[in-house]
């Protein structure tokens, strides 16, 4: 019934969707990293057929900002790349300005696409992401190692409830990637910290009881990725001021084997998540 209702109200025939993932603003302005995502989008717009295309800009407004990430990105595209921006008309731009995390980016982007009625039920729609390469690599890696926790899997599943068939490739070459702009030791540390997200996602999946296979198997790669990243961080001078946080994160990883009881794991997940969030903000070269 829902699919039929959506079909009857369709006002477009979009078959290509580009989702621009948000990056935190600093003083209500895009950072260099955020700007690099829009630059990557602008470069590709003149070379693609935009006839059946819609672009969804994602990212909400934090309390200390006067503009949403999504609107800041749209404005940056218009101001810095006016000729490329002309490739899109207003009806081809959707603004998702309520999310504050990547998880919400995908969930809310799906909602905006459904509300727009621009896609036809049962007609396949190709989705491409726009973000920095490390970000898209992480999203795809999680999808490959822990599809139960995958954001792309959730995106497709939520869309299917409304009769929309979304295709999202796990080949990074099919997406629009921007080079991470901070080629410094500070930037290198930030990318290493980001890799710890893999273990947090694993812990969240265990607490949420989403895995129906051996937890030893599921944990293996997130564990290796995170431990290697921590070992590298511990050797970096720039990370020494965060040594206690790094050691605590490593301790939590070792204290959470696949056999741990959920009632013991839950508080450790909360602590791991908070430590990782704080460390990420402290290490980020953009101070976001």
């Amino acid at each position: 019934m829902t699919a039929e209702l959506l079909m009857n109200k369709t006002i477009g025939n979009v078959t290509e969707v580009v989702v621009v993932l948000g990056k935190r603003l600093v003083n209500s302005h895009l950072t260099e990293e955020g700007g690099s995502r829009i630059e990557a989008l602008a470069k590709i717009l003149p070379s693609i057929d935009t006839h059946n295309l819609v672009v969804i800009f994602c990212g909400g407004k934090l309390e200390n900002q006067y503009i949403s990430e999504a609107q800041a990105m749209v404005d940056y595209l218009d101001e810095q790349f006016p000729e490329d921006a002309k490739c899109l008309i207003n009806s081809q731009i959707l603004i998702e300005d309520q999310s504050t995390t990547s998880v919400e980016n995908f969930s809310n982007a799906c909602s905006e696409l459904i509300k727009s009625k621009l896609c036809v039920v049962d007609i396949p729609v190709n989705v491409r992401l726009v973000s920095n390469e490390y970000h898209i690599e992480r999203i795809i890696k999680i999808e490959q190692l822990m599809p139960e926790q995958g954001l792309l899997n959730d995106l497709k599943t939520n869309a299917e409830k409304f009769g929309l068939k979304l295709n999202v490739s796990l080949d990074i070459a099919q997406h629009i990637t921007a080079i991470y702009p901070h080629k410094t030791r500070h930037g290198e540390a930030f990318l290493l910290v980001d890799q710890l997200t893999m273990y947090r996602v694993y812990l969240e999946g265990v607490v949420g009881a989403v895995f129906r296979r051996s937890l030893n198997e599921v944990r293996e790669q997130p564990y290796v990725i995170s431990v290697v990243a921590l070992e590298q961080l511990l050797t970096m001078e720039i990370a020494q001021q965060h040594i206690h946080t790094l050691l605590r994160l490593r301790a939590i990883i070792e204290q959470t084997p696949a056999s741990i009881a959920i009632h013991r794991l839950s508080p450790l997940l909360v602590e791991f998540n908070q430590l990782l969030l704080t460390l990420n903000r402290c290490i980020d070269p953009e101070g976001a």
Side-chain angles (χ1 to χ4, degrees):
M1 179 65 70
T2 302
E4 292 177 359
L5 183 63
L6 186 61
M7 183 182 294
N8 293 336
K9 292 187 176 182
T10 294
I11 59 175
N13 58 345
V14 166
T15 55
E16 301 288 334
V17 174
V18 171
V19 179
V20 187
L21 300 177
K23 176 68 169 70
R24 288 180 179 274
L25 307 179
V26 172
N27 297 324
S28 296
H29 290 87
L30 279 189
T31 61
E32 189 175 354
E33 181 179 344
S36 71
R37 299 180 186 185
I38 301 306
E39 181 178 359
L41 172 65
K43 284 182 178 179
I44 201 171
L45 282 177
S47 63
I48 60 177
D49 183 1
T50 59
H51 183 65
N52 295 318
L53 172 76
V54 67
V55 179
I56 307 176
F57 292 87
C58 298
K61 181 176 68 172
L62 299 181
E63 291 183 3
N64 60 337
Q65 310 291 353
Y66 67 79
I67 190 173
S68 69
E69 296 168 25
Q71 189 61 58
M73 291 191 293
V74 172
D75 293 347
Y76 191 82
L77 177 65
D78 288 337
E79 294 165 5
Q80 299 298 320
F81 308 98
E83 292 304 313
D84 301 308
K86 290 179 182 177
C87 296
L88 300 173
I89 58 177
N90 288 339
S91 61
Q92 293 176 295
I93 295 175
L94 298 180
I95 295 179
E96 182 288 296
D97 59 3
Q98 299 300 309
S99 61
T100 58
T101 66
S102 292
V103 174
E104 293 175 351
N105 276 180
F106 283 95
S107 176
N108 294 348
C110 183
S111 297
E112 289 298 325
L113 187 61
I114 292 167
K115 286 191 298 183
S116 75
K117 303 182 180 67
L118 292 174
C119 298
V120 180
V121 169
D122 292 333
I123 300 298
V125 176
N126 296 319
V127 178
R128 286 195 287 175
L129 308 178
V130 179
S131 192
N132 294 86
E133 75 273 51
Y134 80 89
H135 192 198
I136 297 181
E137 284 174 358
R138 188 230 299 162
I139 290 170
I140 291 176
K141 193 68 173 178
I142 291 173
E143 203 76 30
Q144 293 170 331
L145 296 179
M146 298 175 284
E148 303 92 335
Q149 284 288 83
L151 298 179
L152 305 183
N153 185 52
D154 278 351
L155 175 67
K156 291 186 289 186
T157 300
N158 289 335
E160 285 174 0
K161 296 175 183 177
F162 294 86
L164 299 184
K165 295 183 177 181
L166 303 184
N167 298 323
V168 191
S169 176
L170 296 185
D171 179 2
I172 194 170
Q174 299 304 310
H175 299 282
I176 303 169
T177 57
I179 296 174
Y180 183 65
H182 301 289
K183 302 301 181 182
T184 62
R185 293 292 282 174
H186 206 158
E188 182 182 344
F190 173 76
L191 296 182
L192 288 171
V193 170
D194 184 76
Q195 291 184 31
L196 303 181
T197 301
M198 194 72 64
Y199 200 78
R200 188 208 74 206
V201 171
Y202 159 72
L203 293 179
E204 290 174 339
V206 176
V207 171
V210 303
F211 301 120
R212 297 291 181 266
R213 50 199 171 102
S214 167
L215 289 184
N216 283 316
E217 173 191 336
V218 179
R219 181 176 182 264
E220 182 178 4
Q221 283 303 308
Y223 172 84
V224 170
I225 291 169
S226 298
V227 167
V228 170
L230 279 168
E231 288 176 349
Q232 294 181 52
L233 280 163
L234 287 168
T235 67
M236 299 179 70
E237 182 179 352
I238 194 171
Q240 293 310 300
Q241 60 184 307
H242 305 291
I243 191 73
H244 295 297
T245 297
L246 295 172
L247 291 174
R248 181 55 186 158
L249 287 168
R250 175 61 192 266
I252 292 175
I253 290 174
E254 297 301 339
Q255 292 168 11
T256 52
S259 59
I260 188 173
I262 295 298
H263 74 274
R264 291 182 54 210
L265 175 58
S266 295
L268 291 174
L269 166 59
V270 172
E271 183 183 1
F272 190 91
N273 185 50
Q274 187 56 58
L275 289 173
L276 183 56
L277 178 61
T278 301
L279 184 62
N280 181 283
R281 301 280 175 82
C282 292
I283 293 289
D284 190 339
E286 299 183 330

